[in-house]
Amino acid sequence: MTLGGERRMWTEVKRLGRSREGNFLIELALVMPLLLIALAGAYDYGSALYDSMALKDAVRAGVQYATKNPGDTSGILQVVSTAAGIDPSRLTLTTTTSYKCPDGTPTTAGATCTGGIVEQYATVNAQSTVVPLLTIFGTLLPSSLKAVATLRVH
């Protein structure tokens, strides 16, 4: 390389060092991963919040079904998973029947109460696992969502 060629090369390098062309792309490349992680976190949080509300509503629907069909556990699971829009494999469901006197004291079926007749209650407990979009948010989000509903059987 000649002396004139070297000067031209260094002049070009200095010109590129002072140039502002391409700065936006470099800044975008540095900031975009952080923005995408924040966006995925917002999605995971919103999704968990939505699933929590949907699970609570679905458990209410399940307990209404349970008052008419108390022994149909698979039917209750179907009602809850359909109403929540959650995969049944992610749901854990328990149903219980309890009896109380009108004054609120627990009793058994067929017992007599001094204040009136024995009231029967159906309770549905549901638990759903949370599946985050990014595993780094698994520590920030709850690992499972829970909902409980109780309704008096007529």
Side-chain angles (χ1 to χ4, degrees):
M1 203 183 272
T2 64
L3 187 59
E6 273 186 37
R7 281 192 184 152
R8 248 183 282 139
M9 182 181 75
W10 283 112
T11 306
E12 187 65 25
V13 168
K14 287 179 184 177
R15 186 187 71 78
L16 286 175
R18 289 187 301 260
S19 174
R20 299 287 180 211
E21 294 176 18
N23 282 356
F24 173 74
L25 289 177
I26 292 171
E27 291 169 2
L28 183 67
L30 293 173
V31 173
M32 187 57 74
L34 298 174
L35 289 175
L36 290 175
I37 289 172
L39 187 64
Y43 173 81
D44 280 343
Y45 181 75
S47 179
L49 189 63
Y50 176 81
D51 284 349
S52 175
M53 291 186 298
L55 186 63
K56 288 176 185 174
D57 290 341
V59 166
R60 287 188 202 113
V63 79
Q64 286 175 348
Y65 180 84
T67 59
K68 294 180 177 58
N69 307 294
D72 187 11
T73 307
S74 62
I76 297 168
L77 176 64
Q78 182 65 33
V79 167
V80 172
S81 65
T82 302
I86 296 174
D87 182 19
S89 65
R90 289 180 38 209
L91 278 174
T92 304
L93 193 71
T94 58
T95 60
T96 56
T97 302
S98 60
Y99 301 91
K100 294 182 184 177
C101 290
D103 63 356
T105 57
T107 187
T108 59
T112 57
C113 295
T114 56
I117 61 170
V118 175
E119 298 170 341
Q120 181 182 357
Y121 291 88
T123 302
V124 174
N125 292 301
Q127 184 173 344
S128 172
T129 56
V130 175
V131 181
L133 189 62
L134 295 177
T135 56
I136 60 172
F137 297 116
T139 57
L140 301 174
L141 295 172
S143 60
S144 64
L145 304 172
K146 298 174 185 161
V148 179
T150 302
L151 191 62
R152 186 168 63 114
V153 179
H154 294 286

